[in-house]
Amino acid sequence: MRHGIAFRRLGRDSSHLKALLRNLTAALVRHERIKTTLPKAKELRRPAEKMITWAKRNTPVSREKVVAWLPEKDLVPKVFDVLAPRYAERQGGYTRVLKAGFRAKDQAPMAYIEFVDNDLPPLRAPRDKKANSTAPSSTTDAPNPDDLD
């Protein structure tokens, strides 16, 4: 049973996991969309969204936390000057994970993780509202038996 297990270990010890998440967070801030394995993308949501929340507070303590988390210090202005104002009105949910099939070599499930409301071209076409309606279709391709005579 998985009682009390708060996060995925991803087959790494604690220091390696922390370094992995810090580097993935830096790549996500730099490119605003990255492709990685599905478990890594799901685990990356937590520190990435927490970092945006720190940046929205814009206090000296929150700035220290962002500086301490990001391994590349040149990304700190982007977090505070670009990303924090973009999500000023949003109450969480700053990232999106989209499944991207399976990797060719080992069939690992892949996914894109991206910040929502970005300026990048969309990965998928937006869903049509009419296609998701629950009304049954009245047209059928089968001929009417009364019309055959």
Side-chain angles (χ1 to χ4, degrees), residues 11 21 52 59 66 85 87 89 101 116-117 131 133 137-138 143 147 149:
L21 292 175
I52 298 297
T59 63
V66 171
Y87 302 116
E89 300 300 318
V116 297
D117 300 335
S133 67
S137 176
S138 62
D147 295 337
D149 293 330

Side-chain angles (χ1 to χ4, degrees), residues 66-82:
V66 171
V67 168
W69 182 256
L70 287 175
E72 301 173 28
K73 304 310 176 210
D74 60 324
L75 296 176
V76 174
K78 181 175 182 179
V79 172
F80 281 91
D81 299 336
V82 177

Side-chain angles (χ1 to χ4, degrees), residues 4-117:
I5 299 174
F7 55 89
R8 295 169 183 84
R9 294 295 300 264
L10 301 174
R12 292 158 172 82
D13 60 7
S14 61
S15 61
H16 190 184
L17 180 64
K18 182 177 178 182
L20 172 77
L21 292 175
R22 289 178 66 200
N23 287 326
L24 284 174
T25 306
L28 182 62
V29 169
R30 180 176 302 282
H31 301 290
E32 296 192 19
R33 177 189 295 154
I34 59 173
K35 186 176 184 180
T36 184
T37 62
L38 184 61
K40 287 178 189 175
K42 287 182 176 181
E43 198 59 33
L44 178 59
R45 288 183 298 194
R46 295 177 65 185
E49 296 205 6
K50 195 177 290 189
M51 189 184 55
I52 298 297
T53 303
W54 289 334
K56 284 172 56 176
R57 291 182 190 148
N58 201 12
T59 63
V61 172
S62 65
R63 184 170 290 271
E64 288 174 7
K65 286 187 176 191
V66 171
V67 168
W69 182 256
L70 287 175
E72 301 173 28
K73 304 310 176 210
D74 60 324
L75 296 176
V76 174
K78 181 175 182 179
V79 172
F80 281 91
D81 299 336
V82 177
L83 297 177
R86 182 189 300 172
Y87 302 116
E89 300 300 318
R90 183 180 284 267
Q91 298 294 319
Y94 313 119
T95 58
R96 172 187 304 129
V97 175
L98 298 168
K99 293 183 181 180
F102 296 93
R103 189 161 47 200
K105 299 264 181 179
D106 60 356
Q107 295 300 307
M110 299 299 288
Y112 287 97
I113 181 167
E114 65 182 3
F115 286 118
V116 297
D117 300 335

